[in-house]
Amino acid sequence: MSSVLQDIRNDFPIFSAKENEGLIYFDNAATSQRPKCVIDAVSDFYKKNNANPLRGLYGLSMRATEDYESSRETVSKFVNAKESSEIIFTRNATESLNLIAYAYAMENVNEGDEIAVSIMEHHSNILPWQMVSRAKKAKLVWLECDKETGVIPDSEYQKINEKTKIVSIAHVSNVLGITNPVKEIARIAHKNNAVIVIDGAQAVPHFKVDVQDIDADFYVFSGHKFLAPTGIGCLYAKRAILDSMSPFLRGGEMIEYVTRDTATYAEVPHKFEAGTVNAGGAVGMKAACNYLEKIGFDFIEKHVDSLTGLLLEGIKKIPHIKTIGHPDYSKHCGIVTFTIDGVHPHDIASILDTEKIAVRAGHHCAQPLGAYLNLPATARASLYFYNTEEEVNLFLEKVAKVRSWMGFKED
């Protein structure tokens, strides 16, 4: 292990905890680990500046407000929003998608309109659009991918037409790891007067995202996927769109003035942040953004690609294991989904857990994709920049033994 990588791993307390001795954590697509600087930032906020932001005129509350709004500014720059007011703090990407569905789609989709989603979407980017389609008597249109590579053929984008009002798609698939050409899809959507919603939960941790360059109308992501705490997420949206939308939730702090019968709402972004906000989570997200900028996405992409290539090439040499998705490791964004002949994915995960290797097994909240590929369940190893070649090699050694441990006699 290089000294640079060792220094990075030293930043993550979970790897040195006695309880986790020997742990190989390959479930990063579900949630990442947190560096000490993020943990300290959250702890320091509650130790020194804990008060209800945006509400008090006393010094402590004003410091809490400053921390909260400073975090918004940092996140804004992290994804290159035009202005910080285009960043709405939510609980996670799921809440962000539901906010769009209720506050935008329910007001802008009508009977006979169409909403286009890809077959590879996480349930969080399917269920809200099913709801809108039923409520508004609109049609849900599926963009299907090539079953061997995971790439959506250009011909599928012809389904986006003058009836399309919303195109909602993952920047990176949480099962296939494929990176969709969201900038080109945005161009096609806008050509047809539709808006594009991008689920960036798996993209933001792995490469630099520029929402202005993509020309995204909406872009959502979760903090816990890229080193920030759980319970904090983001919705980016163009300011003009946010100004036109009604609030998703109503209550404290999102109002300007309330009478017995009416209310006027606060300006964006506070119009969409009802109730007491998760200031500690926002502060943690700011620290995560700063840490990733310090590490550098050039290093992250190069290292994760290298590990993914090592893992994929190693699996190819093991009989009875099949990987899902593109044969090119650089198309996987650190995600390697696989099956083992005769072994249920839950058994794969349980057996590897006895070897202190953490992988995910199941449908990965993407059951329509599983049905499309005729794979009701798979195992998934997902890598991040603090993982090592030694871990990949040990994983390959152990996964090669799963069938024999299950009692299969190899040829």
Side-chain angles (χ1 to χ4, degrees):
M1 187 190 310
S2 71
S3 60
V4 171
L5 195 54
Q6 185 61 64
D7 287 343
I8 288 173
R9 287 181 67 84
N10 289 342
D11 289 339
F12 291 81
I14 198 163
F15 296 128
S16 58
K18 182 179 179 181
E19 298 85 346
N20 300 318
E21 185 177 356
L23 171 67
I24 297 177
Y25 186 75
F26 280 4
D27 195 22
N28 294 287
T31 198
S32 67
Q33 298 303 332
R34 282 79 177 145
K36 186 174 184 296
C37 64
V38 169
I39 298 168
D40 289 347
V42 176
S43 177
D44 286 347
F45 172 80
Y46 286 116
K47 287 177 181 177
K48 302 173 183 177
N49 293 334
N50 181 44
N52 209 323
L54 309 168
R55 302 193 182 193
L57 298 178
Y58 52 91
L60 186 60
S61 179
M62 288 190 282
R63 292 205 308 272
T65 300
E66 183 179 349
D67 277 351
Y68 185 65
E69 293 302 335
S70 172
S71 299
R72 192 192 310 277
E73 183 67 30
T74 295
V75 175
S76 172
K77 292 177 180 177
F78 187 69
V79 296
N80 195 33
K82 190 174 182 179
E83 55 185 85
S84 62
S85 62
E86 295 178 322
I87 296 295
I88 310 298
F89 284 123
T90 61
R91 287 189 305 132
N92 43 44
T94 299
E95 183 176 289
S96 298
L97 289 163
N98 276 271
L99 191 160
I100 300 166
Y102 280 98
Y104 178 83
M106 290 294 284
E107 295 184 0
N108 290 276
V109 174
N110 298 301
E111 184 174 353
D113 289 340
E114 296 181 355
I115 300 171
V117 300
S118 85
I119 193 64
M120 68 183 73
E121 297 309 306
H122 189 282
H123 295 161
S124 295
N125 203 23
I126 294 175
L127 298 181
W129 310 121
Q130 289 180 341
M131 179 275 298
V132 173
S133 297
R134 285 193 298 267
K136 306 299 288 188
K137 297 182 179 179
K139 181 181 180 182
L140 198 59
V141 175
W142 295 91
L143 308 177
E144 297 182 347
C145 64
D146 179 85
K147 291 184 178 181
E148 296 301 319
T149 66
V151 174
I152 299 174
D154 290 344
S155 58
E156 285 295 294
Y157 298 122
Q158 294 176 13
K159 295 177 179 178
I160 301 171
N161 55 49
E162 67 277 359
K163 291 184 179 181
T164 309
K165 290 297 179 284
I166 296 171
V167 179
S168 195
I169 192 164
H171 200 162
V172 172
S173 165
N174 74 311
V175 178
L176 303 171
I178 200 77
T179 301
N180 288 309
V182 291
K183 185 175 180 178
E184 175 61 15
I185 300 170
R187 186 193 67 79
I188 296 169
H190 294 151
K191 181 181 177 181
N192 288 279
N193 296 314
V195 300
I196 186 166
V197 178
I198 302 171
D199 176 358
Q202 298 295 339
V204 168
H206 286 276
F207 52 81
K208 188 65 177 174
V209 169
D210 186 331
V211 292
Q212 290 190 74
D213 180 64
I214 294 168
D215 199 15
D217 297 300
F218 298 98
Y219 196 99
V220 309
F221 50 101
S222 295
H224 72 96
K225 305 281 191 185
F226 71 105
L227 313 182
T230 55
I232 188 73
C234 279
L235 162 64
Y236 157 83
K238 292 176 179 176
R239 177 62 188 262
I241 296 176
L242 289 172
D243 285 337
S244 72
M245 291 165 53
S246 298
F248 173 41
L249 299 173
R250 290 163 170 80
E253 200 52 47
M254 51 74 66
I255 52 87
E256 181 181 51
Y257 192 75
V258 178
T259 69
R260 293 189 182 207
D261 302 310
T262 63
T264 55
Y265 301 116
E267 291 292 310
V268 169
H270 302 117
K271 178 170 72 171
F272 297 102
E273 295 178 353
T276 298
V277 297
N278 183 2
V283 167
M285 185 178 281
K286 174 183 178 178
C289 290
N290 289 336
Y291 182 83
L292 286 173
E293 295 281 12
K294 183 183 77 170
I295 296 297
F297 281 106
D298 287 344
F299 171 82
I300 292 170
E301 288 188 67
K302 182 178 179 181
H303 182 61
V304 173
D305 275 358
S306 175
L307 294 181
T308 307
L310 181 64
L311 198 157
L312 275 175
E313 289 303 313
I315 280 183
K316 288 178 183 178
K317 300 173 184 176
I318 303 173
H320 301 290
I321 300 184
K322 179 185 178 183
T323 58
I324 313 303
H326 206 287
D328 182 350
Y329 69 86
S330 68
K331 305 292 185 183
H332 281 255
C333 215
I335 292 172
V336 178
T337 302
F338 63 97
T339 58
I340 300 178
D341 291 343
V343 185
H344 194 282
H346 290 170
D347 292 326
I348 297 172
S350 295
I351 291 169
L352 291 177
D353 180 53
T354 65
E355 300 296 317
K356 305 207 75 171
I357 300 173
V359 300
R360 181 58 56 93
H363 53 66
H364 314 297
C365 296
Q367 286 177 301
L369 177 63
Y372 177 69
L373 298 176
N374 196 29
L375 291 169
T378 55
R380 182 186 70 189
S382 49
L383 312 172
Y384 208 21
F385 66 92
Y386 41 62
N387 290 127
T388 69
E389 288 188 6
E390 291 85 354
E391 289 179 321
V392 171
N393 287 328
L394 187 57
F395 168 83
L396 290 169
E397 175 188 327
K398 300 300 182 181
V399 81
K401 298 177 180 178
V402 167
R403 275 178 54 89
S404 63
W405 286 336
M406 287 288 291
F408 288 94
K409 293 185 177 180
E410 304 301 340
D411 298 333

